Amino acid sequence: MKTKLSQLAPGESGIIKEFTDLEMSVKLMEMGCLPGEAIQVERIAPLGDPIAVNISGYQLSLRKKEASTIILQ
Amino acid sequence: MKANLKVALVGNPNTGKSTLFNSLTGLNQKIGNFPGVTVDKKTGQTKLNAAQEAMVIDLPGAYSLYPKSKDEGIVLDVLVDPNNPAHPDLVVFIADATNLKRNLLLYTQVADLKIPVIIALNMMDLAKRSGIQVKVDELAAKLGIRIVPISARSGAGIDDLKQAIADANAIPLQTDVLDVNELAPAGMVERVQAQFKLANPYTALQYLHHYQQLSFLEARQTESLAQEVQQSDFNSQQLQARETIARYQFINEVLFDTVSSPDNPIQESYSNRIDHVLTHKIWGFAIFMAVLFIIFQSIYAWSEYPMSLIESLFIWLVNAVHDYLPAGALTNLLADGILAGLSGVLVFIPQIAILFAFIAVLEDTGYMARVTFMMDRIMRKVGLNGKSVVPIIGGLACAVPSIMSARNIENWKDRIITIMVTPLVSCSARLPIYTLLIALVVPDERMFGLFNLQGLALMGMYLLSMLSAVLVAWVMKYLIKARERGYFIMELPVYRMPRWNNVALTVYEKVKAFVLEAGKVIIAISVILWVLASYGPPAKFKAIDQQFASPAYTAKYSAEQITQLKASAKLENSFAGILGKSIEPVIKPLGFDWKIGIALITSFAAREVFVGTMATLYSVEGDASRMDSVKEKMAEARNPETGELVFTLPVAFSLMIFYAYAMQCMSTLAVVYRETKSWKWPITQFVYMTAMAYLASLLVYQFLK
Ligand SMILES: Nc1nc2c(ncn2[C@@H]2O[C@H](COP(=O)(O)OP(=O)(O)OP(=O)(O)O)[C@@H](O)[C@H]2O)c(=O)[nH]1
Ligand SMILES: [Mg+2]
C-alpha cells in the first residue's frame, strides 16, 4: 500500500490522512492540504523534483521532501 | 463614511489586487501572472462617486495572517497595527472565484480582526467559463457582508464595487467565525487585551503569535509578550494548526451549498495541456533555452533599422548645432558633451524595449511560474530556490526591483544569496556596452546562414552572466549559515493570454524611466566630464600651445594636423586625462588605456555612462568637421604611440567581462542595504564583484592577447 504523497505517480490520487511534521503541516494546511481532502499528483518536474499536485481545485507545487510528510489514507 | 476613507486591498497572491488597484486609481502597478508580484504597499486615490474620494492601498498577497515571507509580513503589520499610516478603515477582500475555499482562509482571519470588510469576488469571467457557480447573495448572507462580483481585468463590476465602498458601514458587521479564546491557553487572550487595550481578542492573539516580528511593538512590550508566551506554554505552531483546521471547517460549511463546480473544469484541462508540453521531461528545458535564444536573436534582428534611424537623427542634430550655433565652448558642450552622451544611450531604446517586452510576456502568461517549477532542483543544488528564478530573470532588465522581489522567498539564506547574485545577471544598462563592443570586433555575419554571429556573442555574454550568478551562489552556499529549514511550496497559476496593451504600457513606462533616469545621469556626467576633459592645469596647457606653435611643428605638419595633435595632447593633459593616466598602471594588464580608464571611473555612477563617456572623450579630441557615430569613432581610435587600433578583440572582450562582473551601480547597493538592513551585504557585494571583474578581465586579456 502506498502511504506517502511522495510515492504517488502522476495521475494517482489519495486522501490526506495526517502529517509527520508539524512545521510543514501548518504551511501545507493553509494552502488547502487538510486531512480528508483529495489530492492528486499531476506531474513531476523534468528533473524529478518538485512535483505538482491538484488540491481543492488548484495546482500546487512542492518538493518531494515536503510531499513525504503527507500521509495518505 | 469618513471624508477620505482608507481602503486596503487584501487577498491571496495572484488574485488580481493590483489589476483592481490600477483600474481604481489609474496608476500602473506591476501586474504579472505568478504569486508574489507585489512586494510592497502602494497607495493611490480613487473617485467613488461625484462627492466621495477614497485612498486605496495595494498590498502584497498573503495566504494567511501567519507570514512565511517578508512580503506577507507587510500585510500583517498593516492590519494589526492601528497606528500604521496604511491601517485601513475598510478592507476590500479580493477573492478568486475559481479558488474560493483557499481564498476564504485569509478572509476569515481578516474578518476576525473586526475591521469593516467587503468581498470583491474577482475572476468571475474565468469562473463562468469553467462552470463554477457562486450563489453570491446566500454566501453574503452567511458571512454577514457585501459581496460584489467583478472581473478586474475587463473592468466588469468595478462601478458596483465603488458604490459598495461608498456605502460601506463604519462598523464591522461580519459574522463571527471562531471563539478566539479557545485558540490559546485560558486567560491569555484577555490578559493581552487588557494590557494593550485591545477591543478585539483576535488581534490580541496575533500579538501572541507574532510578537517577534511586529515592527511597531516596543522592546518592553515584546519582552512582556515573550514572558506571557513562555509562562503559559503557548505552542504557536500547534495553535495555528488547530486554528487553520477550525477555519476550514467553517469555510466548508459556508461553501457547501453556495458554490458548485463541475467535476472537470474546462480551464484547468486547457492549462494542463499546455503544461504537458512546456514542463515536459525533455521539451521543457529545450523550450526554455529556445525562448532565451529567440529573445537575444530578436534583440539584434528587430532593432537594426530603428537603431540606425536614431543614430542618423543624432548625427544630423549634432551637425545642425555646429552649423547654426556660434562656434565656442558652449556649443561644443551641447554638441560634443550632452548630445553625444545622450545619443550613446538613446540609440539603444529599441533593444531595451524588445527585452522588456519579452520579459513582460513571460511574466504575464504564467510561464515564469513553470520556469520556477522546473528550475527548483538545480537552484536548490547551488544554494538558491526555485523562486530565485524570478529575480534572476528580472535581473535581465534591472537588478533594483528584482532584488526587492526576492522578498517573496521564504528562506532567509536562499533570499540573501539571491540578493547577492542578482546583480551579476547582465541588466539592460550593460546591453549598450555589449552591443557597441560586439559591433566593433565581431563580424556581422550569419553562421549556417541562420544565426547572427553578433547575436550569438551577445547571448554568450548573457549566458556567462547567469552561469556566474549560479556559480557564485554555489560558493556562497558554503559560506553563509542557514537560519531555518528551506522548503518550496508554491501555487502554479493557470496560463493566461498576455494583455498586449498592458505589455505595451509596461514597455513604455520602463523605457521612459530608463531614458529619464539614464538621461539625468548622462547629462550631469557629460557636462562634468566635458569640463574636466577640456580644461587642465593652465601651465601645462600654455606649454602645449607654445610647443605646437614652435617652428619644429609648423614646418612639419599642416595646420589641420596641428589642431588635431594639439587636441590630443590637451586631452591627455586635461584634468580627466590626468585622472585616467593615474589609474592606467592598474588597468594596463587588462588591456585598457587611460581613456577607457576614465570611462570605468565615470561608470561607477551608473553603467549607462560608458557609451556617453566614450562619445564625449572622442568628440573633445575629434575633428569637429567630421561627425561620426560613437561606434565609428571608436573603430578608428588608435594608440598614438604604437599606432595600433585601441579596440581589438582581446580589449573589447576584456572590457565586456569587466562590465559584466563589476559592481557599478549605486542604486543596487542602496537597495541591497535597504532590503538587508545591514552594510555588510552591500559592501561584500561591491568587493567580491569588483575583484571578480578585475581577475576575469585580466585572464581574458592575457589569454586572448
Ligand atoms: N481572467 C481574469 N484574469 C484576471 C482578472 N483579474 C486579474 N487577472 C489576472 O490575474 C493575474 C494576477 O493579477 P495581479 O493584479 O498581478 O494580482 P495580485 O493579486 O496583485 O498578485 P500579487 O501582487 O502577486 O499578490 C494577472 O495575470 C491578471 O491579468 C480577472 O478578472 N479575470
Ligand atoms: Mg499585486
Side-chain angles (χ1 to χ4, degrees):
Chain A
M1 257 277 305
K2 284 176 177 174
T3 49
K4 290 178 185 168
L5 177 64
S6 53
Q7 292 164 329
L8 295 191
E12 291 182 327
S13 57
I15 308 274
I16 299 176
K17 187 173 163 215
E18 60 195 3
F19 302 92
T20 58
D21 181 306
L22 179 64
E23 189 189 337
M24 278 308 133
S25 77
V26 289
K27 299 186 204 308
L28 290 166
M29 282 199 291
E30 70 171 42
M31 299 301 285
C33 303
L34 290 139
E37 284 283 336
I39 191 165
Q40 182 184 27
V41 175
E42 293 209 318
R43 64 181 52 82
I44 297 179
L47 298 175
D49 196 18
I51 63 173
V53 299
N54 191 315
I55 178 89
S56 67
Y58 81 101
Q59 208 175 72
L60 182 73
S61 66
L62 66 170
R63 290 180 184 160
K64 284 220 160 129
K65 205 165 128 221
E66 281 101 60
S68 69
T69 68
I70 300 180
I71 307 288
L72 303 175
Q73 280 176 11
Chain B
M1 275 188 102
K2 280 193 356 198
N4 197 1
L5 188 71
K6 267 192 282 181
V7 181
L9 306 181
V10 179
N12 281 183
N14 211 39
T15 51
K17 298 177 294 299
S18 302
T19 309
L20 175 63
F21 178 85
N22 287 351
S23 133
L24 286 174
T25 61
L27 295 175
N28 192 22
Q29 267 282 70
K30 182 171 172 181
I31 292 169
N33 187 20
F34 58 94
V37 178
T38 309
V39 291
D40 209 349
K41 49 178 185 263
K42 163 109 183 173
T43 54
Q45 282 294 125
T46 187
K47 232 178 156 44
L48 297 174
N49 49 40
Q52 270 173 298
E53 286 218 351
M55 179 176 143
V56 189
I57 304 149
D58 187 22
L59 289 169
Y63 289 105
S64 76
L65 285 184
Y66 295 78
K68 300 181 295 301
S69 55
K70 246 189 111 182
D71 51 343
E72 285 191 322
I74 292 172
V75 182
L76 177 74
D77 243 11
V78 164
L79 291 180
V80 300
D81 174 14
N83 298 318
N84 190 305
H87 186 76
D89 306 307
L90 174 72
V91 168
V92 171
F93 188 89
I94 323 296
D96 176 352
T98 64
N99 194 359
L100 255 185
K101 190 155 141 190
R102 197 203 62 213
N103 277 244
L104 285 186
L105 173 70
L106 177 64
Y107 165 77
T108 64
Q109 295 178 330
V110 173
D112 279 346
L113 290 175
K114 297 294 173 202
I115 303 170
V117 56
I118 59 181
I119 288 184
L121 194 57
N122 195 24
M123 313 257 181
M124 286 307 283
D125 55 327
L126 275 189
K128 226 167 256 152
R129 244 202 296 168
S130 35
I132 295 171
Q133 274 165 0
V134 185
K135 292 182 187 154
V136 175
D137 295 334
E138 273 103 323
L139 184 60
K142 280 189 175 182
L143 298 175
I145 54 154
R146 283 264 331 237
I147 297 182
V148 186
I150 63 167
S151 296
R153 190 161 152 150
S154 68
I158 303 278
D159 289 334
D160 295 343
L161 181 65
K162 282 185 177 177
Q163 198 49 48
I165 295 173
D167 296 344
N169 280 6
I171 43 163
L173 297 174
Q174 55 265 34
T175 25
D176 289 325
V177 178
L178 293 176
D179 183 359
V180 175
N181 281 299
E182 280 181 9
L183 296 175
M188 267 182 105
V189 170
E190 278 112 340
R191 283 200 296 279
V192 175
Q193 270 186 281
Q195 191 194 338
F196 290 87
K197 303 199 174 52
L198 296 171
N200 174 32
Y202 192 58
T203 312
L205 183 69
Q206 292 304 314
Y207 278 36
L208 284 167
H209 277 290
H210 308 302
Y211 63 92
Q212 280 161 321
Q213 61 187 125
L214 291 175
S215 54
F216 59 89
L217 292 178
E218 291 163 20
R220 182 177 46 83
Q221 296 175 317
T222 312
E223 190 70 20
S224 88
L225 284 165
Q227 258 174 22
E228 183 72 53
V229 164
Q230 267 158 22
Q231 279 165 8
S232 314
D233 197 21
F234 182 91
N235 185 333
S236 182
Q237 273 175 2
Q238 234 157 38
L239 293 166
Q240 186 194 343
R242 203 198 296 169
E243 180 186 331
T244 308
I245 291 173
R247 287 189 185 281
Y248 270 114
Q249 231 156 30
F250 171 86
I251 293 166
N252 281 336
E253 282 161 24
V254 168
L255 292 184
F256 173 69
D257 54 357
T258 52
V259 174
S260 63
S261 46
D263 290 338
N264 210 350
I266 307 155
Q267 186 65 25
E268 177 65 39
S269 67
Y270 144 76
S271 215
N272 250 344
R273 278 208 302 272
I274 301 179
D275 264 339
H276 279 311
V277 182
L278 292 188
T279 63
H280 184 268
K281 247 192 160 71
I282 300 150
W283 297 124
F285 280 108
I287 291 172
F288 180 49
M289 290 322 273
V291 166
L292 290 182
F293 186 77
I294 289 170
I295 294 179
F296 293 114
Q297 284 289 318
S298 325
I299 286 179
Y300 259 93
W302 298 348
S303 63
E304 236 175 273
Y305 181 68
M307 280 177 81
S308 61
L309 219 63
I310 299 177
E311 213 165 48
S312 16
L313 179 78
F314 266 95
I315 293 179
W316 175 84
L317 211 63
V318 171
N319 277 326
V321 168
H322 273 297
D323 286 349
Y324 293 106
L325 293 183
L330 265 178
T331 304
N332 284 346
L333 170 62
L334 184 64
D336 304 338
I338 295 176
L339 278 181
L342 275 183
S343 76
V345 158
L346 295 190
V347 77
F348 294 99
I349 288 180
Q351 292 196 328
I352 286 164
I354 293 170
L355 178 67
F356 283 145
F358 272 109
I359 293 178
V361 170
L362 288 189
E363 293 184 337
D364 222 32
T365 50
Y367 185 58
M368 204 66 126
R370 271 64 188 190
V371 178
T372 304
F373 174 64
M374 289 194 293
M375 295 290 284
D376 179 64
R377 180 83 190 265
I378 300 176
M379 295 306 226
R380 196 185 339 159
K381 279 249 158 65
V382 300
L384 296 166
N385 185 299
K387 290 186 178 177
S388 312
V389 165
V390 174
I392 286 178
I393 291 189
L396 290 173
C398 177
V400 174
S402 304
I403 283 172
M404 286 181 65
S405 73
R407 285 185 187 178
N408 187 238
I409 299 173
E410 295 94 347
N411 182 282
W412 176 83
K413 181 175 166 180
D414 292 355
R415 180 165 164 259
I416 285 286
I417 297 183
T418 305
I419 290 176
M420 292 303 278
V421 303
T422 296
L424 278 176
V425 178
S426 284
C427 63
S428 56
R430 280 126 153 170
L431 185 59
I433 301 166
Y434 294 164
T435 311
L436 185 65
L437 292 170
I438 287 175
L440 281 179
V441 297
V442 178
D444 186 8
E445 282 164 14
R446 287 178 187 280
M447 200 168 70
F448 314 125
L450 195 61
F451 307 131
N452 181 301
L453 268 186
Q454 296 187 335
L456 281 182
L458 182 73
M459 184 160 150
M461 285 309 296
Y462 276 90
L463 282 184
L464 177 79
S465 78
M466 292 210 192
L467 270 179
S468 312
V470 166
L471 263 170
V472 171
W474 180 73
V475 172
M476 288 193 174
K477 176 181 159 187
Y478 295 100
L479 297 179
I480 299 175
K481 267 211 289 291
R483 286 188 183 170
E484 72 260 300
R485 273 163 72 179
Y487 62 95
F488 177 83
I489 299 175
M490 194 189 74
E491 176 183 0
L492 290 174
V494 294
Y495 285 102
R496 286 185 231 276
M497 270 310 274
R499 287 140 313 138
W500 298 110
N501 55 348
N502 184 62
V503 171
L505 193 65
T506 310
V507 170
Y508 169 75
E509 295 258 332
K510 287 265 175 75
V511 169
K512 195 172 98 184
F514 175 84
V515 170
L516 289 182
E517 286 305 306
K520 264 190 290 189
V521 186
I522 286 164
I523 291 179
I525 299 266
S526 297
V527 172
I528 297 172
L529 191 70
W530 183 84
V531 172
L532 289 181
S534 304
Y535 299 92
K540 270 252 169 69
F541 268 46
K542 217 180 203 166
I544 293 173
D545 280 336
Q546 276 166 2
Q547 186 191 353
F548 285 100
S550 72
Y553 283 87
T554 43
K556 226 161 102 198
Y557 300 100
S558 70
E560 209 167 293
Q561 279 172 317
I562 289 191
T563 328
Q564 185 81 41
L565 285 171
K566 209 158 90 176
S568 294
K570 278 195 173 166
L571 176 63
E572 206 170 332
N573 287 288
S574 67
F575 293 116
I578 294 169
L579 195 68
K581 285 259 170 193
S582 69
I583 65 160
E584 194 170 27
V586 186
I587 55 173
K588 198 145 199 178
L590 314 185
F592 307 158
D593 66 4
W594 56 273
K595 276 188 206 158
I596 299 176
I598 297 173
L600 294 188
I601 295 175
T602 54
S603 293
F604 274 94
R607 298 178 181 98
E608 287 91 336
V609 172
F610 171 81
V611 181
T613 303
M614 284 290 145
T616 309
L617 288 180
Y618 285 108
S619 309
V620 168
E621 188 186 41
D623 172 352
S625 63
R626 260 187 48 238
M627 282 303 141
D628 300 326
S629 64
V630 190
K631 189 177 121 192
E632 285 155 356
K633 282 176 188 152
M634 285 171 70
E636 285 164 17
R638 282 175 192 280
N639 183 327
E641 281 147 40
T642 59
E644 285 166 13
L645 284 177
V646 175
F647 291 97
T648 57
L649 188 100
V651 173
F653 272 92
S654 164
L655 197 53
M656 278 197 277
I657 296 285
F658 189 89
Y659 273 89
Y661 290 151
M663 171 35 88
Q664 296 168 301
C665 179
M666 295 299 160
S667 323
T668 300
L669 291 175
V671 80
V672 171
Y673 169 69
R674 216 175 60 209
E675 293 296 299
T676 59
K677 296 204 176 61
S678 139
W679 282 112
K680 177 176 155 195
W681 299 111
I683 291 172
T684 313
Q685 195 169 51
F686 180 82
V687 172
Y688 99 77
M689 284 180 69
T690 310
M692 211 165 116
Y694 190 87
L695 289 177
S697 286
L698 184 68
L699 271 176
V700 166
Y701 182 67
Q702 297 300 337
F703 188 73
L704 287 179
K705 190 170 66 164

